[in-house]
Structures are given as C-alpha cells and as structure tokens.
Amino acid sequence: MPELKNLEDTKPVFRFAPNPNGPLSFGHARGIVINGSYAEEHKGTLILRFDDTDTTVKPPELAAYDLIPQEVEWLLGRPADRIVVASDRIPVYYEHAEKMLRNKFGYVCKCTAEAFRQFRESKTNCPCRDKSVEENLSDWNKMLDGTYKPGDAVVRVKTDMTLKNPALRDWPALRMQDTVANPHPRPNIRSKYKVWPLLDFQSAVEDHLQGVTHIIRGKDLMDSTRKQTLLYEHFGWSYPETIYWGRVKVHEWGGFSTSKMRASIENGEYSGWDDPRLPTIQGLQARGIQADALRNFWIELAVTQKDISVPLATLFSHNTKKIDDDAPRLSFIRDPVEVEILGDVPSEIELPIHPNHSDKGTRTISLNPPNVFIESEDARGSYRLKEFADIDEDGNIESVERSDKRPIIHWTSTTTSEHSTLLIPNQEEIEYISGRVESNDYSAGTIVQLERIGYAIVTNEGFLLMHE
RNA sequence: GCUCGUGUGGUGUAGCCAGGUCCAUCAUCGCGGGUUUUCAUCCCGCUGACCCGGGUUCGAAUCCCGGCACGAGCACCA
C-alpha cells in the first residue's frame, strides 16, 4: 500500500463508514481492509461509523447494526476500535448547524429543489441567502418543530454561487424527513427527529469530532471532500489527509448494488444474502473465501484512482494459497460407473489425506467386495486407479506398480463411499451434480479438495464447489 | 453541457512528485518444462506494456502543451 502523508505527530485515525442498509458487500471489504490495514500498520485507530441519516431513500436496516461489526471483525481478525452511530449524534449535528447559522456561513433556504437548481446553474444567489441571523434561527426552529414540512426548507452552507464546480455552490447540509411515514428503524430513534443532516455535513462534522486524520474512500466522493473542505474553512478546522480509489468491477459479477440484490433475494432468485453466488461478505464466506485471502486481494489491488476490472481468478488464486495446505483430499465421483476389479485385490488400501503433509495421516478404503466407482468420463480404455493399480478395460489388474503412461484417475470403492451432491454456484443458477463421495466425517464448513475437480466446502447438503 | 479525475503487458500493480542506474518491477492469467500415482500444491522458464501527437532536454514512462479514451460529480441518497 502507498505510504501515507501527514503521519508526523499523532497516531492516525481512520474510519470506515457504511450505510447500514444491508449486509456488507465485496466492495465494502475494500474500505475495511485498506483502512483497517493502515490503522494496524501505524498502530492507529479504526472507527466503524454508521452513516444512517437517510430514512427515506436508503433506509437503514436494524439487523445490520449487529451484523456489520461481526463482518468487520471476521475480515480483519479483530473488531473495529470504536463504533459511532450517526443517529445517536443528531443533537451534536444540530449544535453545529446552529453555529453555522449564527456565524452567518449557513442559511435556511426555502426554495424548492428545482428552483435552487436554476440558481446553481445560473450562478445566481438565492434570495434566502441574505436573511438575517434572527430570521435564519427562526426558520431553523420552524424546521425543528415541524412547522415546515419535508421539502419546504433546508439548511445550506454558504460557499460561493460563482464557484467553477457547480456541485460546491451553497450545498445542502440538513433537510427534513417524514419520520412518521418513514420512521428510523432503531427503536430509540424512530420518529424522534424531523431534521436530519445530509452525508456531507454529518460526515464532515463527525470526522472532525472523532479526530479522523486520514480518509480513504472512493473517488466518487472527491466533490464531497471539496464541499467539506469549504465547511472546515468556515469552522476553522483543518481537513484530514484524503486518498481515493477508483471503481472496481469483478468481471463475473458486473454491477450488483445492495438494492438490486435485495430485490433479487425477495423475488426468489437467490436464497438469501449468504447465497454463494452473491458478492456479499456472507456469500463469500459461504463460498469458502478466507478472510486472509480477501485481505491480500484488496491490498494487492492497492489504492489507485484507476477504474479497474478484475477476474475472480485473482481472488481464487489468493484463496488457494490459504487453503491448500489444510485441505484434506477426497474423492468425488461424478456420474459414477461401477467396475469390478479382478485379480489379486487387497481387502483395503491406505491413501494419504494430504500428499504434501504425511503428518495428516491416511484414509482407509475398503476393497471388500472389490468393486469401485469411477467417473463415466474416465471409463474408457485402460487407466490407473490413483495410488492403487493399473487396470485394463475389463477391470483386470495389470500391475500394482505404475507400468506405463496411462491416465491416472480418481476413484472410490462401493463400500467406502456414499451418495452425495456437488453444488456448483454458477452465475445464473446453482448446478447440482450427484455422485459418490468417499466416506468421511468432515463437518459442515470444512474445506476439502475433491481430487481432479477443485476445492469445495462441506455443507449440510453435500459439497459446494468453491473454485479450482 | 459544466466540473473533477484517470490513462504502464490479457488482468492488476511498481516506477512518475525530486528526468538518466528502466532494452521498465512484482503478482496473476496464458504457454512450455520439472517435482508429484490429482487437471491440485510447489519449482523453473517464455511470450507480453509506458493512450496519441508535439515541445523542453545531451537524455522523458517520468516535466510542459494539445488531442483522444474512459470514469465520476453537478440529489432536500450514502
């Protein structure tokens, strides 16, 4: 990761600030990993902050308040150092809004959104801009007590209507929301407040109050930095060091959004947030992706402002490195064909659990009766049953030692195997392949390698193929 | 449209701020080979890139100008 600037005097403070409107996704992991790794590297602090100030467009979800900290802990291997919830801090934001009005760098604007858009485009001051402090405070109170309704009035930060960048012109800081129709999900908040800060204001004030020193976030928030810097100037604060990353697309996933996923889950396309096909933290967990691997993946992509598109193979490659040494080998026979082995067949045979780690012990396959299953694809000509014997097309043992270059295939015996199902999470649908798996007592969640197929995770239904 | 940002091999990434040591780093993918009784792991090797055009300079991936391409913001969302 790139070196940070402005690290001189104090321990740095970072923050990861999602909207708790659903479980975390793959993309959120970047914010957690990068901010968390920097915090760890510099013995700094990581704040997890819930920016839950919108009850209408992207309403928060109660369950996420408990789930997200767990997901952060899973990913980092340690919890966030501090959790801040914006909806607990509304009075603090009000204080700052009032200070803004009193010090004349903010005003209550009663123009409609459309009317203000005209002013913004024409670089014209809105008539509300020149109101007295008294008038602004009076209007502010009418916002607070509900005399005004959502849409009637907002608090704006006075910047300059002639600024080159239209996004920065007298930007809105607080607005009203109908929290009776759309109550906040947290039981102690519900309909308590009518006036709510917008992200740029809430985040800016909170960053200052929490002593955040470094903000690392998406470059879509570049204009936010500029807006917030203008606010900091008004307050006489200095803005944190800011670093941006560009947009990341995973080729196989394309564009998933929390709202899109929610809709797809609700209409039954996916089983839930933990569906292994979904790019959620839970989906990745279900798919056997290790926290370490995900961390390494994001650190390797680093923090650049380029918009990139990466293949899943990159993530899988990191994952393979993490799991291979621990993954017991197992035989899974797709579309099994039974073959009776003729000749001098031992009653049982021992196979290593892991070819590179003999200390992991052996597995025993019974060959009494001497019948085995092989994949129908492999059932042509002669072959070698791995770790056992060379067999001719009729099932006769030709040699116990490897005698030629015939293909080596995996197999299992009829006795030491049972029916099982292999689930393959393709993009569109989950493919179910039934077959015979070598008998084992691995519990759900264990990651194994199905020889010649790939890495899979044991589930209650059978095996879920992770990747090759 | 206006504003901001980014352009290094198939995909990511280092180098760019402080020009030469860069016939450009590392990883991944692909291909080939070795180890291995898995098409896994591990090891070795190969192919492959500085968006384009000017300029400054003895010298530019690095600095300047102009194009082009891509992305984001211009929400009473986060």
Side-chain angles (χ1 to χ4, degrees):
Chain A
M1 297 192 294
E3 288 279 305
L4 293 176
K5 292 177 190 164
N6 291 341
L7 275 170
E8 300 83 45
D9 21 321
T10 46
K11 299 282 186 204
V13 179
F14 303 86
R15 57 24 168 226
F16 168 66
N19 178 352
N21 64 339
L24 297 181
S25 69
F26 176 71
H28 288 114
R30 185 180 206 176
I32 299 166
V33 168
I34 299 298
N35 282 290
S37 300
Y38 271 126
E40 191 154 15
E41 182 182 351
H42 299 285
K43 299 185 177 8
T45 301
L46 176 68
I47 296 170
L48 169 59
R49 188 179 73 210
F50 294 114
D51 283 346
D52 57 345
T53 57
D54 178 75
T55 64
T56 314
V57 184
K58 293 179 179 172
E61 199 174 82
L62 198 55
Y65 291 84
D66 290 325
L67 181 62
I68 289 175
Q70 290 168 23
E71 294 180 322
V72 169
E73 183 165 357
W74 172 76
L75 193 49
L76 294 179
R78 63 185 169 86
D81 297 296
R82 192 152 82 232
I83 294 180
V84 175
V85 183
S87 55
D88 277 337
R89 309 265 298 156
I90 302 301
V92 177
Y93 307 136
Y94 284 177
E95 282 171 31
H96 286 82
E98 275 178 37
K99 188 171 181 188
M100 209 159 67
L101 297 174
R102 287 184 198 284
N103 293 349
K104 299 184 182 171
F105 57 86
Y107 61 96
V108 176
C109 174
K110 291 183 280 186
C111 303
T112 62
E114 174 56 26
F116 194 84
R117 196 168 64 77
Q118 304 285 348
F119 291 129
R120 180 168 49 233
E121 282 172 5
S122 60
K123 302 187 179 180
T124 318
N125 284 354
C126 136
C128 313
R129 204 176 203 265
D130 299 319
K131 288 188 302 187
S132 66
V133 170
E134 291 67 32
E135 208 176 337
N136 274 320
L137 288 173
S138 154
D139 282 339
W140 168 244
N141 284 320
K142 288 180 189 164
M143 287 175 73
L144 292 175
D145 69 19
T147 306
Y148 292 145
K149 302 299 174 199
D152 291 348
V154 297
V155 177
R156 291 186 181 281
V157 179
K158 207 179 275 184
T159 61
D160 185 338
M161 291 303 282
T162 63
L163 251 23
K164 274 175 69 181
N165 187 339
L168 313 185
R169 297 171 195 159
D170 284 12
W171 53 271
L174 300 98
R175 79 335 198 156
M176 299 188 65
Q177 296 190 102
D178 184 349
T179 48
V180 173
N182 300 297
H184 195 282
R186 296 178 71 216
N188 54 333
I189 307 294
R190 302 298 289 174
S191 312
K192 192 169 173 183
Y193 305 108
K194 298 180 176 72
V195 178
W196 284 81
L198 286 151
L199 173 82
D200 287 314
F201 183 76
Q202 176 269 129
S203 174
V205 169
E206 200 61 78
D207 281 336
H208 175 76
L209 297 177
Q210 299 292 334
V212 169
T213 60
H214 294 75
I215 299 173
I216 311 169
R217 60 183 175 196
K219 67 174 184 180
D220 53 312
L221 295 178
M222 273 183 167
D223 283 345
S224 271
T225 299
R226 298 184 182 101
K227 287 187 211 174
Q228 294 174 344
T229 300
L230 294 170
L231 182 70
Y232 270 52
E233 285 168 5
H234 282 313
F235 277 116
W237 303 337
S238 67
Y239 201 75
E241 184 68 29
T242 311
I243 301 172
Y244 306 97
W245 57 63
R247 204 184 59 178
V248 173
K249 266 205 299 202
V250 171
H251 184 254
E252 289 83 346
W253 284 328
F256 272 98
S257 67
T258 299
S259 49
K260 241 186 227 172
M261 285 191 275
R262 175 173 283 116
S264 301
I265 290 168
E266 280 168 4
N267 73 24
E269 281 177 59
Y270 298 100
S271 59
W273 293 104
D274 60 352
D275 189 296
R277 293 166 294 175
L278 287 176
T280 54
I281 299 283
Q282 293 175 54
L284 292 167
Q285 283 176 331
R287 209 179 178 166
I289 301 300
Q290 306 296 292
D292 273 9
L294 199 47
R295 257 194 330 257
N296 291 342
F297 171 85
W298 283 118
I299 287 171
E300 185 180 75
L301 290 193
V303 182
T304 71
Q305 292 188 27
K306 278 188 263 186
D307 298 317
I308 57 176
S309 176
V310 293
L312 261 185
T314 305
L315 176 60
F316 292 159
S317 161
H318 282 289
N319 207 50
T320 296
K321 284 183 173 56
K322 290 294 166 192
I323 60 178
D324 184 71
D325 277 337
D326 292 319
R329 269 46 177 178
L330 227 43
S331 212
F332 185 98
I333 311 301
R334 299 165 288 197
D335 194 10
V337 173
E338 188 172 340
V339 177
E340 182 181 2
I341 304 302
L342 307 166
D344 190 11
V345 180
S347 64
E348 59 182 41
I349 192 164
E350 300 258 309
L351 303 176
I353 286 174
H354 194 297
N356 307 340
H357 300 285
S358 55
D359 56 300
K360 288 187 186 296
T362 58
R363 40 195 169 128
T364 305
I365 310 294
S366 166
L367 281 168
N368 181 23
N371 291 31
V372 303
F373 285 117
I374 64 173
E375 299 202 331
S376 64
E377 289 251 322
D378 292 329
R380 53 176 72 106
S382 61
Y383 43 78
R384 178 171 180 79
L385 297 179
K386 188 167 178 287
E387 311 257 16
F388 175 26
D390 288 356
I391 307 293
D392 73 11
E393 56 265 51
D394 300 319
N396 298 297
I397 293 183
E398 290 187 301
S399 164
V400 170
E401 295 307 314
R402 193 173 182 193
S403 63
D404 53 23
K405 294 275 188 188
R406 70 183 70 192
I408 298 168
I409 64 171
H410 66 296
W411 57 280
T412 192
S413 74
T414 53
T415 308
T416 316
S417 72
E418 52 209 54
H419 174 80
S420 187
T421 304
L422 178 62
L423 290 77
I424 302 177
N426 294 322
Q427 268 4 274
E428 317 73 34
E429 54 194 25
I430 294 186
E431 194 180 338
Y432 293 84
I433 295 182
S434 65
R436 298 287 297 195
V437 70
E438 175 186 335
S439 300
N440 68 88
D441 55 4
Y442 296 122
S443 54
T446 305
I447 291 172
V448 301
Q449 191 210 54
L450 302 179
E451 295 194 26
R452 295 178 64 222
I453 297 176
Y455 298 97
I457 186 164
V458 178
T459 68
N460 295 324
E461 295 83 44
F463 295 86
L464 176 73
L465 185 66
M466 295 157 53
H467 50 82
E468 291 188 353

